[in-house]
Coordinates of all heavy atoms in Angstrom, one line a residue:
E452 N 5.3 -4.6 -26.0 CA 4.5 -5.2 -27.1 C 4.9 -4.4 -28.4 O 5.1 -3.2 -28.3 CB 3.0 -5.0 -26.7 CG 2.1 -6.0 -27.4 CD 1.9 -7.3 -26.7 OE1 1.4 -7.2 -25.5 OE2 2.3 -8.3 -27.2
R453 N 4.8 -5.0 -29.5 CA 4.9 -4.3 -30.7 C 3.5 -3.7 -31.1 O 2.5 -4.5 -31.2 CB 5.4 -5.3 -31.8 CG 5.7 -4.6 -33.1 CD 6.1 -5.5 -34.2 NE 6.3 -4.7 -35.4 CZ 7.3 -4.1 -35.6 NH1 8.4 -4.2 -34.8 NH2 7.4 -3.2 -36.7
T454 N 3.4 -2.5 -31.4 CA 2.2 -1.9 -31.8 C 2.5 -1.1 -33.1 O 3.6 -0.9 -33.4 CB 1.6 -0.9 -30.7 OG1 2.4 0.3 -30.8 CG2 1.5 -1.4 -29.4
D455 N 1.5 -0.7 -33.8 CA 1.7 0.0 -35.1 C 2.3 1.4 -34.8 O 3.0 1.9 -35.6 CB 0.4 0.2 -35.8 CG -0.1 -1.0 -36.6 OD1 0.7 -2.1 -36.4 OD2 -1.0 -1.0 -37.3
A456 N 2.2 1.9 -33.5 CA 2.7 3.2 -33.3 C 4.1 3.2 -32.7 O 4.8 4.1 -32.8 CB 1.8 3.9 -32.2
N457 N 4.6 2.1 -32.1 CA 5.9 1.9 -31.6 C 6.4 0.4 -31.6 O 5.7 -0.4 -31.1 CB 5.9 2.5 -30.2 CG 7.4 2.6 -29.6 OD1 8.3 2.3 -30.4 ND2 7.5 3.0 -28.4
A458 N 7.6 0.2 -32.1 CA 8.0 -1.2 -32.3 C 8.2 -1.9 -31.0 O 7.8 -3.0 -30.8 CB 9.4 -1.2 -33.1
I459 N 8.7 -1.2 -29.9 CA 8.8 -1.7 -28.6 C 8.0 -0.8 -27.7 O 8.6 0.2 -27.1 CB 10.3 -1.8 -28.1 CG1 11.1 -2.6 -29.1 CG2 10.3 -2.6 -26.8 CD1 12.5 -2.7 -28.8
S460 N 6.7 -1.0 -27.5 CA 6.0 -0.1 -26.8 C 5.8 -0.6 -25.4 O 5.4 -1.8 -25.2 CB 4.6 0.0 -27.4 OG 3.8 0.8 -26.7
S461 N 6.1 0.2 -24.4 CA 5.9 -0.2 -23.0 C 4.4 -0.3 -22.7 O 3.7 0.7 -22.8 CB 6.5 0.8 -21.9 OG 7.8 1.2 -22.4
R462 N 4.0 -1.4 -22.1 CA 2.6 -1.6 -21.9 C 2.3 -1.5 -20.3 O 1.2 -1.7 -19.9 CB 2.0 -2.9 -22.3 CG 2.5 -3.3 -23.7 CD 2.0 -2.3 -24.7 NE 0.5 -2.5 -24.9 CZ -0.2 -1.5 -25.6 NH1 0.4 -0.4 -25.9 NH2 -1.4 -1.7 -25.8
S463 N 3.4 -1.1 -19.6 CA 3.1 -0.9 -18.2 C 3.8 0.4 -17.7 O 4.6 0.9 -18.4 CB 3.8 -2.1 -17.4 OG 5.2 -2.1 -17.6
H464 N 3.4 0.9 -16.5 CA 4.1 2.0 -16.0 C 5.2 1.4 -15.0 O 4.9 0.6 -14.2 CB 3.1 2.9 -15.1 CG 1.9 3.2 -15.9 ND1 1.8 3.9 -16.9 CD2 0.7 2.7 -15.7 CE1 0.6 4.0 -17.4 NE2 -0.2 3.3 -16.6
A465 N 6.4 1.9 -15.1 CA 7.6 1.4 -14.2 C 8.0 2.4 -13.3 O 8.2 3.6 -13.7 CB 8.7 0.9 -15.1
V466 N 8.1 2.0 -12.0 CA 8.6 3.0 -11.0 C 9.9 2.4 -10.3 O 9.8 1.4 -9.7 CB 7.5 3.2 -9.9 CG1 8.0 4.2 -8.9 CG2 6.2 3.6 -10.6
L467 N 11.0 3.2 -10.5 CA 12.2 2.8 -9.8 C 12.3 3.7 -8.6 O 12.3 4.9 -8.7 CB 13.4 3.0 -10.7 CG 14.8 2.8 -10.1 CD1 15.0 1.4 -9.8 CD2 15.9 3.3 -11.0
E468 N 12.5 3.1 -7.4 CA 12.5 4.0 -6.2 C 13.9 3.7 -5.5 O 14.2 2.6 -5.2 CB 11.3 3.6 -5.3 CG 11.2 4.6 -4.2 CD 10.1 4.3 -3.3 OE1 8.9 4.7 -3.5 OE2 10.3 3.6 -2.2
I469 N 14.5 4.8 -5.3 CA 15.8 4.7 -4.6 C 15.8 5.4 -3.3 O 15.4 6.6 -3.3 CB 17.0 5.2 -5.4 CG1 17.0 4.5 -6.8 CG2 18.4 5.0 -4.7 CD1 17.7 5.2 -7.8
I470 N 16.1 4.8 -2.1 CA 16.1 5.5 -0.9 C 17.6 5.6 -0.4 O 18.3 4.6 -0.4 CB 15.3 4.8 0.2 CG1 13.8 4.8 -0.3 CG2 15.5 5.3 1.6 CD1 12.8 4.2 0.7
V471 N 17.9 6.8 -0.1 CA 19.3 7.0 0.5 C 19.2 7.5 1.9 O 18.6 8.5 2.2 CB 20.0 8.2 -0.4 CG1 21.4 8.4 0.2 CG2 20.0 7.9 -1.9
K472 N 19.7 6.6 2.8 CA 19.8 7.0 4.2 C 21.2 7.5 4.7 O 22.1 6.8 4.4 CB 19.4 5.8 5.1 CG 17.9 5.6 5.3 CD 17.7 4.6 6.3 CE 16.2 4.1 6.3 NZ 15.9 3.0 7.0
K473 N 21.2 8.7 5.2 CA 22.5 9.1 5.6 C 22.5 9.2 7.2 O 21.6 9.9 7.7 CB 22.7 10.5 5.0 CG 23.9 11.3 5.3 CD 23.8 12.6 4.5 CE 24.9 13.5 5.0 NZ 24.9 14.8 4.1
Y474 N 23.4 8.6 7.8 CA 23.6 8.7 9.3 C 24.6 9.8 9.7 O 25.8 9.5 9.5 CB 23.9 7.3 9.8 CG 23.0 6.2 9.5 CD1 23.2 5.4 8.4 CD2 21.8 6.1 10.2 CE1 22.2 4.4 8.0 CE2 20.8 5.1 9.8 CZ 21.0 4.3 8.8 OH 20.2 3.4 8.4
C475 N 24.2 10.9 10.3 CA 25.1 11.9 10.7 C 25.2 12.0 12.1 O 24.2 12.0 12.8 CB 24.7 13.3 10.1 SG 23.8 13.3 8.7
R476 N 26.4 12.2 12.7 CA 26.6 12.5 14.1 C 26.3 14.0 14.3 O 26.9 14.8 13.7 CB 27.9 12.0 14.6 CG 28.1 10.5 14.7 CD 29.3 10.2 15.6 NE 29.2 8.8 15.9 CZ 28.4 8.2 16.8 NH1 27.8 9.0 17.7 NH2 28.5 7.0 17.0
D477 N 25.5 14.3 15.3 CA 25.3 15.7 15.6 C 26.3 16.1 16.8 O 27.0 15.3 17.2 CB 23.9 16.1 15.9 CG 23.4 15.5 17.1 OD1 24.1 15.1 17.9 OD2 22.1 15.5 17.3
H478 N 26.3 17.5 17.1 CA 27.2 17.9 18.2 C 27.1 17.2 19.4 O 28.1 17.0 20.2 CB 27.1 19.4 18.3 CG 27.4 20.1 17.0 ND1 28.6 19.8 16.2 CD2 26.7 21.0 16.2 CE1 28.5 20.5 15.1 NE2 27.5 21.3 15.2
G479 N 25.9 16.8 19.8 CA 25.6 16.1 21.1 C 26.1 14.7 21.1 O 26.0 14.0 22.1
G480 N 26.6 14.2 20.0 CA 27.1 12.9 19.9 C 26.1 11.8 19.5 O 26.4 10.7 19.3

Side-chain angles (χ1 to χ4, degrees):
E452 200 91 64
R453 185 185 177 82
T454 70
D455 280 7
N457 188 3
I459 309 174
S460 178
S461 314
R462 313 303 285 164
S463 65
H464 312 291
V466 184
L467 173 71
E468 191 181 272
I469 303 159
I470 293 183
V471 181
K472 273 191 194 165
K473 176 175 170 183
Y474 301 96
C475 329
R476 284 198 169 277
D477 66 17
H478 300 308

